[in-house]
């Protein structure tokens, strides 16, 4: 999915592992384990957090703002946005993808039909690696109807 080490999973909101289905948390873990994301989350378009990695602190204001930026992408360039109480400068915002940066760290967020896939990266990861991981996970979720 997000890299050559990842394998496809079936997704279900709040699902467990019975019947071969994985929870949203499994996708977050997969993104984080890829090495391309320091932290990851899947956020509903209403701003509710479906799953997130344990080290990622997201306020409801941050998640709501993030989801709303996809409806009005030019606002990201005007005001930036916050992730984990860190102000990001938008370097891409086009209605599907939102990339932000602060110093040597940053994030990629991609909108699917029902959610936003978010991955952050640290100094030791190239921004393109992170963007590929997040974009590929979003594409997979879109293919699954999410």
């Amino acid at each position: 999915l997000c890299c050559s080490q990842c394998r496809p999973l079936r997704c279900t909101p709040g699902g467990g592992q019975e019947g071969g289905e994985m929870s949203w948390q499994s996708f977050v873990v997969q993104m984080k384990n890829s090495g391309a994301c320091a932290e990851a989350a899947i956020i509903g378009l209403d701003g509710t957090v479906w799953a997130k990695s344990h080290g990622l602190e997201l306020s409801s204001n941050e998640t709501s703002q993030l989801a709303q930026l996809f409806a009005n992408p030019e606002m990201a360039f005007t005001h930036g946005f916050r992730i984990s109480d860190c102000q990001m400068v938008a370097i891409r915002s086009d209605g599907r993808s939102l990339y932000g940066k602060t110093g040597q760290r940053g994030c990629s967020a991609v909108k699917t039909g029902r959610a936003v896939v978010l991955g952050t990266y640290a100094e030791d990861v190239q921004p393109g690696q992170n963007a590929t991981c997040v974009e590929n996970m979003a594409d997979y979720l879109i293919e699954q109807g999410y």
Side-chain angles (χ1 to χ4, degrees):
L1 288 189
C2 53
C3 66
S4 61
Q5 299 170 330
C6 296
R7 62 189 184 289
L9 302 171
R10 292 190 317 167
C11 54
T12 180
Q17 295 189 15
E18 61 278 347
E21 294 182 345
M22 304 298 276
S23 70
W24 291 115
Q25 193 64 34
S26 298
F27 290 98
V28 168
V29 169
Q30 186 174 2
M31 289 171 60
K32 191 165 172 167
N33 287 346
S34 75
C37 295
E39 304 294 342
I42 300 176
I43 301 161
L45 294 181
D46 62 356
T48 59
V49 176
W50 293 2
K52 69 177 188 67
S53 52
H54 297 292
L56 185 61
E57 297 298 324
L58 294 169
S59 71
S60 60
N61 194 31
E62 290 173 338
T63 59
S64 294
Q65 178 193 30
L66 182 65
Q68 291 170 6
L69 284 174
F70 289 97
N72 196 358
E74 59 276 355
M75 293 301 292
F77 292 114
T78 306
H79 301 290
F81 58 99
R82 297 186 82 73
I83 299 293
S84 285
D85 202 32
C86 192
Q87 182 67 29
M88 298 280 175
V89 174
I91 55 176
R92 177 179 180 174
S93 181
D94 62 14
R96 172 191 155 91
S97 302
L98 173 64
Y99 300 167
K101 195 162 172 75
T102 180
Q104 296 298 310
R105 300 178 351 204
C107 70
S108 302
V110 180
K111 180 181 177 271
T112 71
R114 300 183 191 179
V116 174
V117 179
L118 171 69
T120 67
Y121 61 91
E123 297 86 3
D124 60 339
V125 172
Q126 291 295 316
Q129 290 175 294
N130 177 261
T132 298
C133 177
V134 176
E135 294 276 355
N136 287 348
M137 182 62 77
D139 286 342
Y140 177 75
L141 293 178
I142 289 167
E143 289 172 9
Q144 302 307 306
Y146 290 96

